[in-house]
Amino acid sequence: MGMWSIGAGALGAAALALLLANTDVFLSKSQKATLEYLEDIDLKTLEKEPRTFKAKELWEKNGAVIMAVRRPGCFLCREEAADLSSLKPKLDELGVPLYAVVKEQIRTEVQDFQPYFKGEIFLDEKKRFYGPQRRKMMFMGFVRLGVWYNFFRARNGGFSGNLEGEGFILGGVFVVGSGKQGILLEHREKEFGDKVNPVSVLEAARKIQPQTSAAKSK
């Protein structure tokens, strides 16, 4: 009888742990970025002779859509990159550029990511686009039903990847207006494969005023 009680208790504890792992109780809390925070981020080009510049150059004139990539080799990140890239014709019509930032450059990972992403990619060595408060999802992610749903969705979509690079620091997507217009959309990945809604991205991009128009309205 004692062994049965211990077994039942262990099963109950495991069920409770599984239940809690599928709520937001243990998820890293995000902190909203300010425009001033984003403007001051140092980025590098991925050329042989890299140029370092302030991130505000990306959106100063025409605004921008920016993906902070969790890991270029991740098939879930490639799926989201493809979703954002599907918006590029409409973004081009609006005059809004599409960019991505990565936190590391390993072998050919960025190069292999580029077929999925139709914009320029830059290096954020200090991982500041993943802040102000960096959030991580460790192995708990693999017991979340939402993550498994995302796995199957991406696999069924024909996406594949690898395990190269750091993949626990969560990414996100920003839509930033021109000049001082501000952050129009900030999507923080809450679990592996938590994609931004492309419709929301496009809606936010349509609110961007090119700097000349923004200046006239002041």
Side-chain angles (χ1 to χ4, degrees):
M1 187 71 178
M3 291 298 293
W4 281 107
S5 297
I6 293 171
L11 284 173
L16 178 61
L18 184 61
L19 178 65
L20 290 174
N22 279 278
T23 68
D24 293 349
V25 173
F26 297 117
L27 293 183
S28 300
K29 304 302 179 189
S30 63
Q31 179 182 343
K32 292 278 186 184
T34 64
L35 181 63
E36 292 73 22
Y37 172 85
L38 294 182
E39 285 178 329
D40 195 48
I41 295 174
D42 289 321
L43 297 177
K44 281 186 178 180
T45 61
L46 299 177
E47 303 156 342
K48 288 183 179 179
E49 296 183 7
R51 178 177 75 90
T52 300
F53 64 97
K54 292 295 182 183
K56 67 180 181 179
E57 285 187 26
L58 298 182
W59 58 80
E60 205 158 27
K61 292 183 180 179
N62 296 303
V65 176
I66 305 166
M67 178 183 181
V69 182
R70 180 166 52 81
R71 192 171 61 80
C74 170
F75 70 105
L76 297 170
C77 300
R78 290 175 173 183
E79 179 194 31
E80 183 169 35
D83 281 358
L84 290 172
S85 294
S86 72
L87 300 178
K88 194 163 190 313
K90 292 181 180 177
L91 293 175
D92 287 345
E93 287 177 13
L94 296 169
V96 177
L98 175 65
Y99 300 117
V101 297
V102 294
K103 47 181 139 72
E104 56 189 355
Q105 189 177 11
I106 301 175
R107 291 182 283 280
T108 62
E109 288 304 293
V110 174
Q111 182 181 338
D112 295 341
F113 181 70
Q114 286 179 317
Y116 304 93
F117 189 78
K118 304 305 180 185
E120 286 188 75
I121 303 174
F122 303 98
L123 179 63
D124 176 13
E125 286 183 314
K126 295 181 180 177
K127 305 178 182 66
R128 295 194 63 204
F129 260 102
Y130 303 84
Q133 182 177 321
R134 257 180 239 167
R135 300 159 305 114
K136 287 188 176 183
M137 173 160 280
M138 306 299 283
F139 296 105
M140 181 185 74
F142 297 102
V143 297
R144 288 180 65 86
L145 297 178
V147 171
W148 282 99
Y149 170 81
N150 296 338
F151 283 167
F152 287 119
R153 181 196 64 220
R155 287 293 185 198
N156 289 338
F159 293 92
S160 60
N162 58 55
L163 299 176
E164 294 284 344
E166 195 286 321
F168 295 122
I169 298 174
L170 297 170
V173 173
F174 299 86
V175 179
V176 187
S178 65
K180 294 291 183 180
Q181 193 180 355
I183 301 169
L184 304 176
L185 181 145
E186 180 176 352
H187 169 79
R188 298 287 185 171
E189 186 182 26
K190 77 172 187 177
E191 63 184 5
F192 302 144
D194 173 33
K195 300 189 299 177
V196 69
N197 185 337
V199 174
S200 299
V201 173
L202 203 55
E203 286 176 354
R206 288 192 174 115
K207 295 176 184 176
I208 295 175
Q209 297 174 297
Q211 197 173 40
T212 51
S213 300
K216 288 178 184 177
S217 65
K218 287 182 181 180

